[in-house]
Amino acid sequence: MQRIAGWWDGFELWVAGLPFIPQFLVVLVGMVPISFAIAYLLDRTLRAIFRALRRDEPTDGAPIPATVAAPARPTVGSGAR
């Protein structure tokens, strides 16, 4: 563990010592794939949880029935003339 921590500290110091544009690119190249991976894993995990709880969305692409959707509100004028 000490070896990993030492490597990470060295990497952080290397990135912090770079000028702004290369620093931005290094962080971007690292964070974009990691962010997509986290989003993908969260999506799959939550989808599995919702399916287990039978709270999943309709899979046939059918619209939600009007009885389930929010009722329509009447249009109200502002009263300005």
Side-chain angles (χ1 to χ4, degrees):
M1 196 61 161
Q2 190 70 1
R3 206 169 159 174
I4 294 171
W7 174 83
W8 182 251
D9 287 342
F11 181 74
E12 282 181 324
L13 288 172
W14 174 74
V15 170
L18 291 174
F20 176 74
I21 297 297
Q23 186 180 49
F24 174 76
L25 292 174
V26 167
V27 171
L28 190 67
V29 166
M31 290 308 295
V32 168
I34 290 171
S35 297
F36 275 110
I38 290 171
Y40 178 80
L41 291 173
L42 278 173
D43 179 57
R44 294 294 173 185
T45 303
L46 290 173
R47 187 175 298 180
I49 291 171
F50 286 151
R51 280 190 182 143
L53 296 173
R54 297 195 181 271
R55 299 283 307 224
D56 54 343
E57 57 187 278
T59 55
D60 59 356
I64 298 173
T67 57
V68 178
R73 293 177 20 181
T75 303
V76 179
S78 67
R81 294 182 187 209

